[in-house]
Amino acid sequence: MNTVTLQTHHTYVALIELNRPEAKNAISIQLLAELREKIQEVKKSKARTLVIIGTGDAFCSGADLKERKSMSDLQVKQFLKDINLCFSELANLSIPTIAAINGFAFGGGLEMALACDIRYASESAQMGLTETKLGIIPGAGGTQRLSRIVGESTAMEWIFSGKKLIGKETMVRGLVSQVFDPDHLRESSLALAREISESAPIAVSAAKKAVRRGMELPLESALEWERLCYFETIGTKDRVEALQAFAEKRKPNFKGE
């Protein structure tokens, strides 16, 4: 049985669904391998946005601790390498990515969401980097990505204490963009993905690159980087189409060219 599925919605929206509800979508060796596979499929597809969600009452509860218990130290190190590679591949996709956090998102589950560009959550969602309660630390990007999103002090507070956050508190602290009624999270996430997919894909990709790289640079260098990213859009057919559509008072038909 597949533990990860990939679907297409409205032509340009990819939906990855974690499918181990009996284990709260915990990350097993199999699930991790299948997730990497699906991310590569998305990369090669015509998808313009990606949504990741979990089945049942969990987004992803983290690493499969039952499986972890039987691993040797060497196997644990290999798993850590593989999960880092997977989440880096997710973070480095050129298209926007949305984590729809529909329930538990602890440890590696939250780290997966942190590797996405945008996080939406249900009011009942619970999340946190709880690794210190297990005698370890976040090892799939959590210490680095969380601090860049919520700030160093808040990240250290949450990580040191293994703090669990619920629903709207995560929005107030900047971890997620919006919080929804559980019944509306999936459709709201897909609606945002559809809206993004209607924008010019080359422009969206350039904007993502401008933001991501720019955050790592001093302001003056970041402004120059933004200018270079802008230049990538000038010669595109989509830019000409947008101007033509504006003149004709119609919706543009972007083709990613």
Side-chain angles (χ1 to χ4, degrees):
M1 176 181 172
N2 290 337
T3 60
V4 181
T5 61
L6 174 61
Q7 304 168 30
T8 301
H9 286 254
H10 300 274
T11 310
Y12 295 117
V13 176
L15 175 67
I16 285 179
E17 196 154 8
L18 309 179
N19 189 30
R20 290 189 76 207
E22 74 288 350
K24 305 295 184 186
N25 300 317
I27 306 172
S28 62
I29 292 173
Q30 180 186 349
L31 185 143
L32 184 59
E34 290 182 12
L35 178 59
R36 287 190 71 186
E37 228 174 71
K38 299 306 181 189
I39 290 170
Q40 289 305 312
E41 287 181 32
V42 170
K43 190 175 181 178
K44 296 172 184 176
S45 75
K46 61 182 180 181
R48 297 180 181 179
T49 51
L50 167 65
V51 176
I52 301 181
I53 197 168
T55 55
D57 61 356
F59 174 73
C60 174
S61 59
D64 187 331
L65 297 182
K66 290 182 179 178
E67 184 179 72
R68 176 69 61 86
K69 191 176 178 182
S70 65
M71 289 182 181
S72 67
D73 289 353
L74 188 61
Q75 287 173 318
V76 171
K77 288 178 180 178
Q78 184 60 51
F79 183 86
L80 188 64
K81 179 180 177 181
D82 291 342
I83 197 170
N84 269 283
L85 284 171
C86 180
F87 292 174
S88 291
E89 288 165 359
L90 173 60
N92 291 331
L93 284 173
S94 62
I95 62 173
T97 54
I98 303 164
I101 305 170
N102 54 304
F104 299 133
F106 297 127
L110 180 54
E111 288 177 299
M112 187 190 307
L114 293 172
C116 293
D117 302 315
I118 300 164
R119 284 159 296 283
Y120 275 5
S122 74
E123 292 172 344
S124 59
Q126 297 183 42
M127 58 195 85
L129 296 179
T130 54
E131 284 90 344
T132 57
K133 299 300 186 186
L134 298 169
I136 55 176
I137 70 168
T143 61
Q144 303 308 304
R145 292 192 176 102
L146 183 65
S147 58
R148 283 163 171 75
I149 292 167
V150 302
E152 182 183 282
S153 181
T154 297
M156 287 195 288
E157 174 197 337
W158 292 355
I159 292 169
F160 296 169
S161 65
K163 185 177 179 65
K164 295 180 180 179
L165 300 106
I166 299 175
K168 291 185 178 177
E169 184 181 4
T170 63
M171 184 171 70
V172 172
R173 304 296 287 270
L175 180 55
V176 305
S177 300
Q178 292 196 57
V179 173
F180 299 90
D181 178 280
D183 294 335
H184 298 146
L185 174 66
R186 184 187 183 97
E187 189 48 48
S188 296
S189 299
L190 288 170
L192 174 63
R194 287 196 300 273
E195 185 178 353
I196 292 171
S197 72
E198 291 174 358
S199 298
I202 294 174
V204 170
S205 178
K208 175 172 176 173
K209 188 161 64 171
V211 172
R212 279 287 179 89
R213 175 66 177 142
M215 289 290 289
E216 301 170 358
L217 299 171
L219 180 58
E220 286 304 315
S221 298
L223 291 172
E224 173 62 17
W225 174 246
E226 178 188 73
R227 186 174 70 88
L228 294 174
C229 291
Y230 186 106
F231 286 171
E232 293 180 9
T233 69
I234 291 177
T236 63
K237 293 179 181 178
D238 281 349
R239 189 179 76 90
V240 175
E241 164 63 11
L243 294 172
Q244 188 67 32
F246 178 79
E248 297 173 2
K249 298 181 179 180
R250 61 174 174 80
K251 189 174 180 179
N253 179 26
F254 294 124
K255 296 181 179 179
E257 300 175 352

